[in-house]
Amino acid sequence: MNKRGHVLNAILLSIGLGYLLEPAGDLRTFETIITIGVPVALGALFPDVDTAFGRHRKTLHNLPILVGFLAFPAFFGNLEYVWIGILTHYALDVAGSKRGIALFYPVWKREFGLPTGVAVSSKRADLVTVLVTALELALAAVIIYELPRRGFEVGRQAVGI
């Protein structure tokens, strides 16, 4: 995907996550959208910095970079949501573009992608971006609402309640 697709993904994802976390549609919802949206947008654009140096879709498009941003808040106390932008950037490049990304770079240079992708210049790129974002939000809804409930039920059954 191109920069436009990653920004579109970040904006739609931030709005969707804001409503998933604060569904009332009031001031708290919009505060949540902004709180999540700015770092998610920064994270969504960060991997493409490798167009200025290194090898694009390799140098900053890999799991070690994602792990670094996941660990960053534990050490420095900020950038809590940047990893979401990076992860969704990867998802969009894997599922939305023909080329894919080198997830295990620098150990393994092979690029991974799904056959669902389109060329970056395709007229369908925005549609694919919206579809991938919808799938990401569906997964987020399952994680936010269903996983805790199901985990509680499994725990309750394990102890015989």
Side-chain angles (χ1 to χ4, degrees):
M1 287 291 119
N2 57 23
K3 190 183 324 178
R4 173 187 161 130
H6 290 299
V7 170
L8 176 62
N9 175 259
I11 291 169
L12 294 175
L13 191 68
S14 299
I15 292 168
L17 288 173
Y19 275 96
L20 285 172
L21 294 170
E22 293 289 340
D26 58 10
L27 183 60
R28 288 194 59 171
T29 304
F30 295 105
E31 287 173 351
T32 303
I33 291 169
I34 297 301
T35 300
I36 291 172
V38 172
V40 167
L42 290 172
L45 294 173
F46 176 77
D48 283 342
V49 170
D50 68 7
T51 58
F53 69 91
R55 302 191 63 198
H56 184 53
R57 297 223 179 157
K58 287 184 174 50
T59 306
L60 297 177
H61 287 71
N62 55 65
L63 295 178
I65 295 294
L66 179 60
V67 169
F69 275 94
L70 276 167
F72 195 91
F75 293 103
F76 299 103
N78 61 358
L79 301 178
E80 285 86 2
Y81 303 110
V82 172
W83 69 269
I84 296 171
I86 292 171
L87 179 63
T88 59
H89 182 114
Y90 293 0
L92 196 55
D93 280 355
V94 167
S97 70
K98 283 188 172 196
R99 183 173 165 195
I101 62 174
L103 286 170
F104 302 101
Y105 186 85
V107 176
W108 192 9
K109 295 178 182 177
R110 180 171 182 247
E111 293 180 353
F112 295 89
L114 297 176
T116 56
V118 297
V120 173
S121 60
S122 171
K123 292 181 180 181
R124 291 179 272 158
D126 287 343
L127 174 62
V128 170
T129 298
V130 170
L131 292 173
V132 170
T133 305
L135 289 171
E136 291 168 343
L137 286 169
L139 179 61
V142 168
I143 291 169
I144 292 168
Y145 294 119
E146 287 298 314
L147 204 59
R149 187 177 65 80
R150 291 184 190 270
F152 180 73
E153 288 174 11
V154 169
R156 207 179 76 219
Q157 289 172 356
V159 294
I161 299 175

